Amino acid sequence: MHEGHEQMFRRRFFVSTLLSIPVLLYSEALQGWLGFSVPTFPGSEWINPVFAIIVFAYGGVPFLQMAVPELKDRAPGMMTLISMAIVVAFVYSLASVIFPTESAFFWELVTLIDIMLLGHWIEMRSVRRASSAVDELAKLMPDTAERITDDGETEEVPVSDLTEDDLVLVRPGASVPADGVVDEGDSDVNESMITGESKPVSKEPGDEVIGGTINGDGSLRVRVGATGEETTLAGIMRLVEDAQQSKSQTQVLADRAAGWLFYVALGAAVVTAIAWTVAVSFDATVIERVVTVLVIACPHALGLAIPLVVAINTSLAARNGMLVRDRIAMEDARNLDAIIFDKTGTLTEGEHGVVDMATVDGVDEDDALALAAAVESDSEHMIARAIREAADDRDLTPPDATDFEAIKGRGVRANVEGSEVYVGGPNLLTQLESEVPDHLQRFADEAGQNAQTVVYLVREGERSEPSERASGEAESRGSELVAAFAMADVIREESYRVVDALHGLGVEVAMLTGDSQDVADAVASELGIDTVFAEVLPEDKDEKVQELQDQGKLVGMVGDGVNDAPALTRADVGIAIGSGTDVAVQSADVILVQNNPLDVVRLVKLSKASYRKMQENIVWAAGYNVFAIPLAAGVLAPIGVLLSPAVGALLMSLSTVIVAINAQLLRRTDLTVPDLPTMSASGRAQPSD
């Protein structure tokens, strides 16, 4: 609906503005004010009425049509006020052609229509939001599947043809076509688009898989357990639809002001007609006074008061990494009581990194890290990438490694400078029969309490020949535990500033994650988060938003996964990390296109500043009418002060200019987020001096 209105207002604005040029050029009032003249010719006196009629019919009639529902609901608003002004100006101007009066309102009529079309085009463009969230969810499902027949052959069939208990083949890199259970094979499956968690999940026979997730390097045979509307993905799609439908409608501030102004203008016109009829009897002067009141009440400035601020607001937001898709949500952001952040990929980097390390006596940390990076040089595992990135961050140059080999379920090994070196988890230490020194054991225990993964670096002093051991079997002779590395999903450096700044704005910060309570508590304690929702299933995330809303709080939600989509739409303000999945982006009101959580703070600050400008513009626009309507009615006529229609139109234009200038001042808003005074270069809060 909004997209259709946007295109309609845009098209009619450009056509009507083009047709208004002759009316402005041949307006005697404008010629007198600006000191110019245009050539006249036989019939040139008809230019103003003819072109004004065309502009009214093409650009003005849509406002009349949209005023009908307001009148039916007995709730006059902006459309009713606009319609009243343009109808009065149109009828009076046409009458002035037949019954000459002091002046006509042709140029005011066309400019009013043009400005209203421009304002509503800008408004519709800012309000419009795409409604393709469910379509984006549907795209996660493949169109076809490889079904295994009774004779062991495979056949390609549409996913819609799959039934419960069918056996399907999921090749490496392919999408799982339906919910089911692994019947044969093992692989790592990327479920981030469903769970929002970055770590691939290992799957083996008996494990459940979700339709729409992406298989890793292994091949799986999956026994279908649910299809169509019964799948997890379909359930999330229904949640998105329900949450979208449950979002309440907010009354627009400018429309309320227009409704009040409608009654004020009508009341003033009635009083004016009665007063002037009593004073001078009913004649053309009375009609001119009444028409002047009604036309002066037309919302030139009021019609632009909000859209201009919205347009500048949207531009400022874009330059600061925010894409605003719902204006009402942007306005609501100023009043947020709580903001819920999804943990993985939002408050954290979404990928594992080395957060701490410990070494045995006599071993330098840099040497140990370089040695581990050398062993992991040929591995694509996320732990290997984390170790290599940690070495790169320290500008370390790993030594050359040869004879790389993966030890399934335990780790990796390689030959470095004549020694066998291993990197792996606790299972590796068991196989190598390595003893863990007390201080490394304490390090591992503390890491475990913080929900961190620990991997170990083990070095052998004497290299054995490959022929002396079976393939895949680790040699235990002479092994020495060198170092331990704590791995965790790294907290973003910006997250510390975000939480502190939001607390400074009086906003409660909550965190929502599918991770364990220990992991969630560790991150929350580090960041100073107020409320933690841990071990939350995908289908329950929007319920946590509702839980805070039931406490009377206006809630914002920041997320990046498909499982966040229902929560994003359920929230009063849904904020998507731009690098997240398409459906999360489509479900949000505001998108952080630069993937920077600091923009959440900027969003709140910009919302507050924009709303102040909206209020100021409403005061300017309505304030003009407070003075202009009584003057147009002739309250100062006894002392010789009578506002002519031409002067009234000039004041009306001046009001519009003031509103436009005031809206431009929004660009001066300071959206910077201050650094924490105790923030170290690493981004972690440090004790103050």
Side-chain angles (χ1 to χ4, degrees):
M1 178 185 67
H2 292 307
E3 183 175 4
H5 282 175
E6 177 191 351
Q7 296 303 319
M8 183 269 287
F9 282 123
R10 178 180 181 273
R11 181 176 60 254
R12 293 181 187 252
F13 164 71
F14 283 114
V15 173
S16 297
T17 301
L18 185 63
L19 294 174
S20 298
I21 294 176
V23 180
L24 298 176
L25 291 177
Y26 281 87
S27 169
E28 294 181 0
L30 290 182
Q31 290 179 20
W33 291 339
L34 302 179
F36 72 93
S37 62
V38 293
T40 59
F41 51 86
S44 61
E45 68 275 10
W46 292 100
I47 288 180
N48 275 7
V50 169
F51 278 88
I53 290 172
I54 297 174
V55 171
F56 177 82
Y58 184 71
V61 168
F63 293 108
L64 305 184
Q65 295 171 337
M66 287 184 285
V68 173
E70 293 182 355
L71 293 174
K72 286 184 177 179
D73 294 338
R74 298 181 181 179
M78 181 68 76
M79 296 303 172
T80 306
L81 186 57
I82 294 171
S83 298
M84 179 185 69
I86 63 177
V87 167
V88 169
F90 179 68
V91 173
Y92 179 79
S93 298
L94 286 184
S96 69
V97 175
I98 303 173
F99 308 101
T101 59
E102 181 180 335
S103 63
F105 290 103
F106 286 122
W107 77 271
E108 293 129 310
L109 169 66
V110 295
T111 54
L112 173 59
I113 291 174
D114 294 341
I115 290 177
M116 291 303 102
L117 288 172
L118 173 62
H120 283 79
W121 169 32
I122 294 173
E123 185 178 15
M124 288 300 106
R125 185 175 60 180
S126 65
V127 171
R128 174 178 54 90
R129 59 181 300 195
S131 59
S132 57
V134 175
D135 293 336
E136 294 294 337
L137 277 170
K139 289 179 183 177
L140 293 176
M141 295 296 292
D143 296 324
T144 60
E146 291 188 70
R147 184 167 57 191
I148 301 176
T149 62
D150 293 338
D151 57 7
E153 299 295 325
T154 60
E155 59 177 355
E156 188 172 294
V157 298
V159 170
S160 57
D161 289 351
L162 293 178
T163 60
E164 191 174 344
D165 289 332
D166 277 348
L167 188 64
V168 295
L169 173 64
V170 184
R171 298 183 185 275
S175 295
V176 179
D179 290 3
V181 177
V182 176
D183 196 72
E184 182 180 342
D186 59 85
S187 181
D188 290 337
V189 176
N190 181 0
E191 296 183 344
S192 62
M193 66 289 299
I194 300 296
T195 65
E197 305 303 327
S198 58
K199 183 178 179 180
V201 180
S202 178
K203 301 292 183 181
E204 57 187 25
D207 290 340
E208 294 182 353
V209 291
I210 302 172
T213 56
I214 300 175
N215 187 24
D217 296 332
S219 180
L220 297 175
R221 282 171 167 76
V222 175
R223 184 72 62 181
V224 175
T227 61
E229 294 299 313
E230 302 302 319
T231 63
T232 299
L233 193 59
I236 293 178
M237 290 167 65
R238 286 192 297 272
L239 287 173
V240 171
E241 291 176 325
D242 292 344
Q244 286 175 331
Q245 293 171 2
S246 70
K247 187 180 287 291
S248 61
Q249 297 299 316
T250 304
Q251 182 68 39
V252 179
L253 179 62
D255 202 47
R256 292 201 300 268
W260 300 332
L261 187 55
F262 172 78
Y263 290 113
V264 170
L266 282 183
V270 171
V271 172
T272 299
I274 295 173
W276 278 89
T277 299
V278 172
V280 300
S281 74
F282 184 80
D283 58 14
T285 302
V286 176
I287 297 176
E288 187 174 273
R289 286 297 99 206
V290 171
V291 170
T292 302
V293 168
L294 293 176
V295 172
I296 275 182
C298 65
H300 270 76
L302 191 59
L304 287 180
I306 303 303
L308 277 178
V309 174
V310 170
I312 296 171
N313 169 293
T314 304
S315 174
L316 278 176
R319 290 208 304 268
N320 285 276
M322 295 171 281
L323 176 61
V324 179
R325 305 188 59 191
D326 190 314
R327 175 175 57 82
I328 295 176
M330 167 58 86
E331 295 173 6
D332 286 343
R334 76 187 191 282
N335 290 325
L336 286 176
D337 300 303
I339 297 180
I340 303 175
F341 288 85
D342 177 58
K343 180 183 76 68
T344 305
T346 304
L347 292 175
T348 64
E349 295 287 356
E351 56 185 30
H352 278 63
V354 177
V355 295
D356 202 0
M357 64 180 296
T359 62
V360 297
D361 293 340
V363 177
D364 182 73
E365 285 191 358
D366 286 352
D367 293 339
L369 186 57
L371 187 60
V375 178
E376 297 282 17
S377 59
D378 289 339
S379 174
E380 287 303 318
H381 194 276
M382 63 177 180
I383 288 179
R385 290 196 297 270
I387 290 176
R388 292 198 300 268
E389 289 175 1
D392 290 341
D393 290 341
R394 297 194 183 194
D395 295 325
L396 303 178
T397 302
D400 294 332
T402 59
D403 298 337
F404 172 84
E405 185 176 359
I407 307 172
K408 188 173 179 61
R410 292 176 174 83
V412 296
R413 69 180 167 199
N415 180 261
V416 183
E417 298 178 340
S419 298
E420 292 283 356
V421 183
Y422 301 82
V423 176
N427 289 339
L428 176 67
L429 299 184
T430 301
Q431 180 171 337
L432 295 177
E433 299 179 356
S434 297
E435 294 185 3
V436 182
D438 291 341
H439 73 285
L440 289 188
Q441 186 60 57
R442 288 193 297 272
F443 173 84
D445 292 342
E446 183 178 346
Q449 293 173 1
N450 292 329
Q452 298 167 350
T453 301
V454 178
V455 295
Y456 299 93
L457 174 67
V458 180
R459 178 173 55 192
E460 289 186 353
E462 179 183 354
R463 182 186 179 189
S464 59
E465 297 298 325
S467 59
E468 297 178 6
R469 62 177 186 268
S471 177
E473 179 183 346
E475 173 62 53
S476 62
R477 189 167 51 238
S479 62
E480 174 194 7
L481 182 58
V482 176
F485 306 93
M487 318 289 293
D489 192 358
V490 182
I491 296 176
R492 289 173 178 265
E493 293 183 6
E494 304 91 344
S495 297
Y496 298 90
R497 294 166 61 193
V498 169
V499 175
D500 183 74
L502 289 176
H503 283 161
L505 293 171
V507 180
E508 174 187 340
V509 181
M511 185 180 72
L512 187 152
T513 179
D515 281 350
S516 67
Q517 190 70 51
D518 288 340
V519 172
D521 288 342
V523 174
S525 176
E526 178 78 12
L527 293 175
I529 288 173
D530 305 298
T531 305
V532 177
F533 300 109
E535 301 177 12
V536 181
L537 297 175
E539 59 269 25
D540 295 336
K541 286 197 170 185
D542 70 321
E543 294 181 3
K544 299 304 180 183
V545 175
Q546 187 69 54
E547 184 176 320
L548 291 183
Q549 289 174 330
D550 289 342
Q551 298 174 16
K553 297 177 180 178
L554 197 70
V555 180
M557 170 69 193
V558 185
D560 69 338
V562 171
N563 65 304
D564 300 324
L568 287 170
T569 50
R570 179 77 67 184
D572 298 285
V573 180
I575 306 167
I577 293 291
S579 65
T581 59
D582 288 341
V583 66
V585 169
Q586 295 293 341
S587 301
D589 303 310
V590 180
I591 302 162
L592 306 185
V593 295
Q594 296 177 357
N595 198 12
N596 187 352
L598 287 175
D599 291 334
V600 177
V601 181
R602 298 187 179 101
L603 170 67
V604 176
K605 296 177 72 173
L606 181 57
S607 175
K608 291 178 180 291
S610 298
Y611 190 72
R612 280 197 304 270
K613 285 300 174 188
M614 290 180 185
Q615 289 179 312
E616 290 168 3
N617 275 359
I618 292 296
V619 171
W620 275 113
Y624 149 77
N625 287 283
V626 169
F627 293 99
I629 289 179
L631 289 177
V635 294
L636 299 182
I639 61 174
V641 178
L642 191 62
L643 186 66
S644 69
V647 175
L650 183 61
L651 290 176
M652 186 166 49
S653 299
L654 181 61
S655 174
T656 303
V657 171
I658 292 174
V659 164
I661 293 174
N662 188 53
Q664 292 295 327
L665 295 178
L666 178 62
R667 298 184 185 277
R668 298 184 179 182
T669 302
D670 181 13
L671 298 179
T672 58
V673 181
D675 291 328
L676 291 176
T678 57
M679 183 69 70
S680 71
S682 67
R684 291 181 178 266
Q686 302 295 327
S688 57
D689 295 332

